């Protein structure tokens, strides 16, 4: 049986206070993939075999507190998530990598590029939460302080499904929808931590400080499409690609087009 048929290898590294879970597949130029909230490294499942076949070494952690990774101690921050990613690269002996982040992962990736430019050969920000300070403050104010009450009728299990239907207009992949809802339920006590890190982060200042080749990647059907376009308008010096259609599940919906765009940028 080939490695591609088996899928990615899985492992853990130790962090202060817990363990970080990751998936890894392929050999060649390293690509660090950082997922959206509240997903996991399964977000890239459809892309793994394509990237492996193209000669890429894919490294995909579960963000601390999501998937099979333990949460960090204390309040989450983009800097803390970036430090966990650096610890993983160190443990795997990777000096420099292309770093791609999606939504929350884009903020972590941006912080990596800002604070550790020597470790990032190229940066891909896939769906950029480009909001001003007032917008970020409003979004922070809407986040729950506690997980929803567990109800005997099971309605607390249906609520995440109904919520994802509302925010994924035009969805085509029910399997991806189901996977994402299961991942929400697995972290229901701390699901919003990644959003806290996003809305507390000064993304504009970090973009101004970037000194590594950067691609803004989006697709016209995703919920952060307009925010990513605003980032492009404010930073015309950065590369930009938009794919047609899709949702925030673009990797599941159009894996060949998504992987092709990533490879084009990785290889200049």
């Amino acid at each position: 049986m080939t490695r591609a048929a088996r899928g990615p290898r899985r492992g853990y590294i130790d962090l202060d206070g817990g363990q970080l879970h990751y998936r890894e597949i392929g050999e060649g130029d390293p690509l660090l993939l950082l997922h959206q909230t509240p997903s996991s490294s399964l977000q890239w499942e459809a892309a793994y075999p394509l990237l492996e076949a193209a000669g890429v070494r894919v490294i995909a952690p579960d963000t601390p507190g999501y998937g099979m990774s333990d949460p960090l101690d204390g309040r989450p921050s983009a800097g803390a998530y970036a430090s966990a990613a650096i610890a993983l690269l160190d443990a795997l002996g990777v000096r420099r990598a292309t770093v791609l982040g999606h939504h929350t992962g884009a903020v972590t990736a941006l912080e990596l590029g800002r604070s550790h430019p020597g470790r990032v050969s190229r940066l891909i920000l896939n769906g950029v939460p480009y909001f001003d300070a007032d917008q970020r403050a409003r979004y922070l104010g809407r986040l729950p302080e506690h997980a929803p009450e567990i109800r005997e009728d099971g309605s607390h299990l249906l609520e995440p499904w109904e919520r994802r239907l509302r925010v994924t207009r035009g969805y085509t992949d029910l399997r991806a929808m189901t996977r994402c809802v299961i991942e929400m339920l697995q972290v229901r006590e701390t699901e919003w931590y990644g959003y806290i890190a996003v809305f507390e982060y000064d993304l504009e200042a970090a973009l101004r400080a970037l000194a590594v080749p950067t691609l803004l990647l989006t697709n016209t059907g995703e919920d952060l499409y307009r925010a990513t376009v605003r980032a492009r308008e404010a930073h015309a010096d950065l590369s930009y690609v938009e794919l047609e259609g899709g949702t925030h599940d673009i990797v599941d919906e159009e894996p060949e087009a998504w992987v092709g765009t990533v490879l084009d940028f990785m290889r200049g």
Side-chain angles (χ1 to χ4, degrees):
M1 183 179 293
T2 67
R3 182 178 297 166
R6 291 202 307 267
R9 299 175 294 276
R10 292 160 56 185
Y12 287 89
I13 66 164
D14 292 326
L15 301 174
D16 292 340
Q19 290 188 306
L20 181 77
H21 174 261
Y22 68 94
R23 288 177 165 86
E24 182 181 12
I25 191 169
E27 298 177 357
D29 296 332
L31 171 65
L32 179 69
L33 296 177
L34 305 173
H35 62 79
Q36 65 180 338
T37 299
S39 216
S40 75
S41 52
L42 286 175
Q43 177 179 349
W44 321 108
E45 191 172 28
Y48 285 138
L50 301 176
L51 290 166
E52 181 189 26
V56 174
R57 179 186 179 186
V58 182
I59 301 163
D62 292 350
T63 299
Y66 298 92
M68 292 187 283
S69 289
D70 295 324
L72 298 172
D73 292 334
R75 193 176 182 85
S77 70
Y81 289 152
S83 294
I86 288 292
L88 177 59
L89 294 181
D90 288 345
L92 297 179
V94 177
R95 187 178 66 86
R96 296 181 79 220
T98 296
V99 179
L100 184 153
H102 185 254
H103 290 206
T104 301
V107 170
T108 303
L110 178 55
E111 175 57 19
L112 267 174
R114 185 201 66 81
S115 59
H116 298 86
R119 306 297 298 272
V120 179
S121 54
R122 288 177 177 265
L123 186 63
I124 304 174
L125 307 179
N126 188 179
V128 183
Y130 189 80
F131 305 116
D132 63 29
D134 289 342
Q135 290 173 312
R136 290 190 286 113
R138 286 200 302 272
Y139 290 139
L140 270 174
R142 296 173 187 169
L143 294 178
E145 296 183 3
H146 306 286
E149 175 188 3
I150 296 176
R151 306 181 189 93
E152 187 175 5
D153 64 3
S155 56
H156 63 289
L157 301 176
L158 182 60
E159 187 276 333
W161 177 258
E162 293 175 336
R163 174 157 44 104
R164 203 165 202 280
L165 286 176
R166 289 195 301 270
V167 301
T168 318
R169 296 178 182 178
Y171 69 87
T172 59
D173 192 324
L174 282 174
R175 181 177 176 276
M177 294 282 286
T178 301
R179 183 192 71 228
C180 291
V181 169
I182 290 171
E183 289 172 327
M184 286 184 195
L185 291 169
Q186 288 174 329
V187 296
R188 64 185 306 275
E189 300 293 332
T190 55
E191 178 188 342
W192 58 89
Y193 280 10
Y195 301 118
I196 293 174
V198 167
F199 298 135
E200 289 188 337
Y201 188 71
D202 190 344
L203 190 144
E204 171 59 29
L207 283 173
R208 289 198 304 268
L210 271 182
V212 298
T214 300
L215 170 67
L216 304 178
L217 173 60
T218 187
N219 53 284
T220 59
E222 77 138 335
D223 47 337
L224 288 182
Y225 170 66
R226 294 188 183 280
T228 307
V229 170
R230 289 198 300 271
R232 178 201 187 188
E233 292 169 347
H235 297 273
D237 56 316
L238 303 180
S239 299
Y240 175 85
V241 173
E242 65 177 49
L243 302 175
E244 188 66 32
T247 67
H248 40 227
D249 297 329
I250 188 67
V251 180
D252 296 280
E253 297 159 336
E254 300 181 31
E256 291 84 5
W258 186 86
V259 168
T261 302
V262 171
L263 292 174
D264 286 346
F265 187 72
M266 283 185 69
R267 293 168 178 172

